[in-house]
Amino acid sequence: MHWFFWYRNKQLRYMEKINPLCVGVAMAIAIIFFNAKAYAQDEEPFKPKHSLGLNIGHEQSFSGVDENGNKKLVGLPYWGLDYNFQFARKFAVGLHTDFVTETFKVEKNLESGEKEVVERSFPIAPAVMGLYKPTEHWSFGLGMGAEFEKEENYVLNRVAVEYGAEIRNGWEVFGVLQYDFRWKAYDTWTIGLGISKAFGRQQKSAAAD
């Protein structure tokens, strides 16, 4: 009988030591499980979407030339028409086209160092863009295209940063800051404000700012 009480007391002391550990492990497992379940509910499946946007602003160039042949900063009004296809949560491709609505003169950057002034009349500049979207609001783009005009066409590279805020039902307002490098010609930087509409819109993502 004494042996039985000794064994039971030893077992109870053992259980007193191990129970807190078991409870702690069980609580940790439960917390991880519920957090993982909540994250899976928030991270809804991505749905590809198309968007079409219109923006307006000013295109600036330090290579502008005035009536007397002197260089100046020229500001040109433009319209932008942007099409994007977002095929992944953080990546998209697009065709962004700018339409300058004025005639102007600029000085070309020639490799020989000589100066050449050219006149540009209502040029159109489309570019194929690759876009990286680290959050729902920010987009960083890099692309290549050309500026088309009746006298001469220029190849260009384009770098752009956009910030957008959704209004409702796929409508979004956005601001854009853009820089164009025209090969052996002239450079411009652009500030614009626009509105866009998404089609086949993805469900709300948890990847917010």
Side-chain angles (χ1 to χ4, degrees):
M1 183 64 68
H2 291 290
W3 177 85
F4 173 77
F5 286 112
W6 174 84
Y7 179 78
R8 187 183 66 174
N9 290 337
K10 184 176 181 182
Q11 189 176 32
L12 289 174
R13 286 196 299 270
Y14 177 77
M15 293 300 296
E16 287 175 356
K17 292 180 180 179
I18 198 170
N19 275 348
L21 179 60
C22 292
V23 172
V25 171
M27 290 180 63
I29 293 174
I31 291 171
I32 294 172
F33 173 77
F34 286 115
N35 284 344
K37 186 175 181 181
Y39 179 80
Q41 289 176 347
D42 291 339
E43 193 70 16
E44 296 176 349
F46 173 80
K47 292 184 178 180
K49 66 175 181 178
H50 304 265
S51 65
L52 191 63
L54 183 67
N55 64 88
I56 186 172
H58 274 80
E59 188 172 273
Q60 320 284 335
S61 177
F62 290 102
S63 299
V65 177
D66 62 19
E67 294 79 3
N68 300 318
N70 300 316
K71 290 189 68 173
K72 69 170 185 176
L73 173 64
V74 60
L76 308 165
Y78 86 96
W79 288 88
L81 182 63
D82 300 345
Y83 164 75
N84 293 318
F85 173 58
Q86 187 174 352
F87 59 88
R89 195 176 299 277
K90 294 183 181 294
F91 297 96
V93 293
L95 177 64
H96 295 187
T97 306
D98 292 350
F99 304 84
V100 173
T101 59
E102 283 188 0
T103 297
F104 58 98
K105 292 182 178 180
V106 289
E107 186 177 281
K108 291 179 63 175
N109 301 317
L110 301 178
E111 292 181 349
S112 62
E114 298 180 358
K115 297 181 179 180
E116 179 183 349
V117 176
V118 295
E119 184 174 272
R120 310 296 285 169
S121 297
F122 309 103
I124 300 174
V128 176
M129 303 291 292
L131 303 169
Y132 172 62
K133 298 175 67 66
T135 70
E136 290 182 347
H137 300 294
W138 288 99
S139 297
F140 299 88
L142 178 64
M144 185 173 182
E147 180 182 87
F148 298 98
E149 195 261 353
K150 62 180 182 180
E151 298 295 335
E152 188 176 5
N153 302 326
Y154 302 134
V155 177
L156 63 82
N157 289 110
R158 176 169 295 166
V159 179
V161 179
E162 293 185 7
Y163 182 87
E166 185 175 356
I167 306 171
R168 59 180 300 177
N169 298 327
W171 287 98
E172 182 180 85
V173 293
F174 65 93
V176 58
L177 177 63
Q178 173 180 295
Y179 199 97
D180 286 356
F181 304 85
R182 292 167 180 79
W183 297 11
K184 301 179 183 179
Y186 65 101
D187 298 344
T188 59
W189 55 277
T190 301
I191 298 178
L193 183 66
I195 188 168
S196 67
K197 176 70 168 94
F199 304 91
R201 194 162 63 93
Q202 70 180 63
Q203 299 178 11
K204 188 175 181 180
S205 168
D209 288 323

